[in-house]
Amino acid sequence: MDDQPAGAQEAAARKKEVLYAFIVVFVGITAVTLSQMQAIGLIPLKNLLKNELHESKSATAAFFFWIGLAWYFKPLFGIFIDAFPLFGTRRRSYILLGATLSVFGFIALIFTPHTYEALLGVCILINVCMVIASTATGGFMTEKAQALKASGGFASVFQIGYQMSGVIGGPLGGILAAMAFGWVGAAGAVIMFLPIPAAIFFLKEKRVHVDSQQLLGEAGNQFRNIFQAKTMWAAAGFSFLFYFAPGIQTALFFRQQNVLHMTTQQQGLMLLLNGVFAVLTATFYGTFAAKRWPLRKLLFWFILAGGLAQMSYYFYNSIQDAYVIESLWGLGWAAADMALSDLYMRSAPRGSEALGFSLMVSVRNLSLFGADWLGANLMDTYHLQFGTMALANGLISMIALTFVFLLSGRIVDRMAAPADATVAATVPPGKAVVDEW
């Protein structure tokens, strides 16, 4: 009888820990994703490049590829954050630093001249700051997901936060595109301020004190740990197979305006449909699918759904068709992206959570934006039809299906633990320890 109150207290403490972690992850991921030039800035910036600077599809896609430069080197940020605590913490201080610098970067964007080179330079710097906050948030999320054995729940929270860029960023971006471009910088600054209070009030992390020699040794351990993580490299390669197909996102923007004659507000509505249905998929994944079926099965069926959703753009010939296809894409693509996010968190090696997760996310980002540039170049150079590119995009992504069965059973043949399960968190030597709440 005496053990029952203690057990109840432990369960309540764990639920509080999960809740606080969810808040930090949700606010951090939502802010970093929503404020990007690929979210609220997507329609305004593409509209500026296409209609004010008169850039081609390939030049526009190249712009978005290069502003994401820092995201492709995210693993280096992960190494630094995992190995070198800032003011004694590995997550909290870096979230605060990255968010604060991002706010100043967006304020600078308000005053940036409207030239290709100037906008490119400022956007690259803003992304460097946001990568700091994103990497620290991802490391915290992966740390908690592994310790609490709740990768499905965190994958769902991550995906909901990520898809807020469509739910909010789509309509907001459509409205901002009709206003002076400086308002994009103002909106980005406000959004990137949000992780600051979230980290201050909900992320409690014990301080770590190490000397310089220990820090260098820790960095070496990070490199050895990551190079020996065969499961993580397999997951990264698997992710590349799905994402690296000739992309159509920039071509889709041009088609919406030139062929379907959409306004920027209508384009924002398309992103809203993406986001709403993706959030529904994320909710289903975290509350039901991840707890009922092993990850291998989820990866197979959801990647199939993602590939079919991409192929559906072959029928993108009217605004009425667009409503249906954008909704289907929100369901199918989000399902595949979410299962892959779950795979990332399970595959990241312990002690190198930020590095492992950021490495796999960088593979995703490099594949997506490189593929979009590739697709735009193919269409500009060889005058390929949009429908042909849509079919090729989906079919090439589904090549990953043949490799689902080669992934490690230790990672993909289990289901997520229920949220109220009692799990003893183990922390490897030399790691920061997060307070138990």
Side-chain angles (χ1 to χ4, degrees), residues 217-435:
E218 180 71 9
N221 290 336
Q222 292 286 329
F223 280 108
R224 286 190 292 273
N225 199 19
I226 209 69
F227 283 125
Q228 294 171 2
K230 295 179 181 179
T231 301
M232 189 206 68
W233 288 109
F238 180 77
S239 171
F240 179 83
L241 288 173
F242 175 75
Y243 290 118
F244 194 74
I248 59 171
Q249 291 308 304
T250 296
L252 177 63
F253 182 89
F254 277 69
R255 184 175 184 82
Q256 287 172 337
Q257 290 196 352
N258 296 345
V259 178
L260 304 187
H261 307 292
M262 289 187 187
T263 64
T264 56
Q265 287 84 357
Q266 287 175 313
Q267 289 178 297
L269 177 60
M270 298 301 125
L271 294 178
L272 172 64
L273 290 172
N274 285 171
V276 167
F277 282 93
V279 168
L280 292 176
T281 305
T283 303
F284 168 75
Y285 187 94
T287 59
F288 183 77
K291 299 174 184 178
R292 185 176 179 87
W293 297 301
L295 181 57
R296 193 188 303 277
K297 181 178 288 187
L298 295 175
L299 283 167
F300 182 87
W301 290 109
F302 285 1
I303 285 174
L304 178 62
L308 292 174
Q310 289 167 275
M311 293 172 67
S312 70
Y313 281 91
Y314 178 84
F315 304 100
Y316 208 92
N317 299 314
S318 70
I319 292 182
Q320 289 71 30
D321 294 336
Y323 289 141
V324 176
I325 293 169
E326 296 291 355
S327 301
L328 290 175
W329 190 88
L331 291 170
W333 178 267
D337 204 36
M338 198 160 11
L340 287 165
S341 297
D342 195 346
L343 178 65
Y344 297 164
M345 285 184 277
R346 297 188 190 199
S347 303
R350 289 190 180 275
S352 302
E353 292 87 358
L355 173 58
F357 186 81
S358 63
L359 174 66
M360 290 178 278
V361 171
S362 70
V363 169
R364 174 192 182 280
N365 293 331
L366 180 60
S367 302
L368 280 175
F369 293 110
D372 185 45
W373 189 6
L374 172 63
N377 264 307
L378 289 173
M379 294 186 72
D380 280 345
T381 303
Y382 300 104
H383 308 291
L384 298 177
Q385 296 298 311
F386 179 83
T388 302
M389 292 298 297
L391 292 176
N393 185 268
L395 287 171
I396 293 173
S397 290
M398 286 193 283
I399 291 174
L401 288 173
T402 59
F403 294 88
V404 169
F405 304 101
L406 300 179
L407 294 170
S408 171
R410 180 176 60 84
I411 299 296
V412 299
D413 286 337
R414 63 176 173 84
M415 297 170 285
D420 58 350
T422 301
V423 180
T426 57
V427 184
K431 282 184 77 278
V433 180
V434 181
D435 286 337

Side-chain angles (χ1 to χ4, degrees), residues 41-62:
L42 181 68
I43 296 175
L45 189 50
K46 282 188 175 180
N47 199 56
L48 187 154
L49 291 170
K50 174 181 178 289
N51 298 320
E52 183 177 332
L53 302 184
H54 306 292
E55 299 292 347
S56 65
K57 293 186 190 75
S58 56
T60 301

